[in-house]
Amino acid sequence: DVDDVHYTPPGQWPARGPKPSKIGVLLYYISLSFCVVGILFMAKCSYAREEDRPDILMIGSLLVLVGFMFLGLSNYVYNREQRRLINYLKGKIEELMEENKGKGPRAPDS
C-alpha cells in the first residue's frame, strides 16, 4: 500500500492520518502581535502626560488580554491536534500488533 505510513517521505504527513492545521499557528502569531502591541502601547506611559496614563494603561492591558485569549485558543487547537495524532498512532500500533500476532519472534536487526 503506497499510502502507508512507512512510505511517507521525511517531513511530510501520511495521506490517511491526521494533519496539523495552520489555524493554530495563525492564532499564535495573532496572540503574539496583540501582546507586543499592548506592551509597546503601555511603554508610552513613561513619557505620556499624567492625565493620559490611565487610558493608555487600559487600552494596552486590553490588547494584552486579547492576546492571551488568542493564546488560549491556539493552545486548545494545538492540544486537540495532538490528541488526534496520538489516537491515530495508538490505532496504528494496535493494528500492527494484531497483524503480527502469532508470527513468532523477529530476527535481530544487524
Side-chain angles (χ1 to χ4, degrees), residues 40-50 53 56:
L40 290 175
F41 204 81
M42 287 189 286
K44 293 191 327 186
C45 281
S46 62
Y47 59 85
R49 292 182 310 191
E50 191 69 33
R53 288 183 183 172
I56 291 172

Side-chain angles (χ1 to χ4, degrees), residues 20-63:
S21 69
K22 307 231 182 336
I23 190 76
V25 176
L26 179 67
L27 289 173
Y28 174 75
Y29 284 123
I30 290 172
S31 161
L32 190 65
S33 62
F34 270 113
C35 287
V36 167
V37 169
I39 290 170
L40 290 175
F41 204 81
M42 287 189 286
K44 293 191 327 186
C45 281
S46 62
Y47 59 85
R49 292 182 310 191
E50 191 69 33
E51 61 269 6
D52 293 337
R53 288 183 183 172
D55 293 335
I56 291 172
L57 283 175
M58 184 181 67
I59 292 171
S61 299
L62 284 175
L63 287 170

Side-chain angles (χ1 to χ4, degrees), residues 104-110:
R106 271 184 34 186
D109 294 332
S110 45

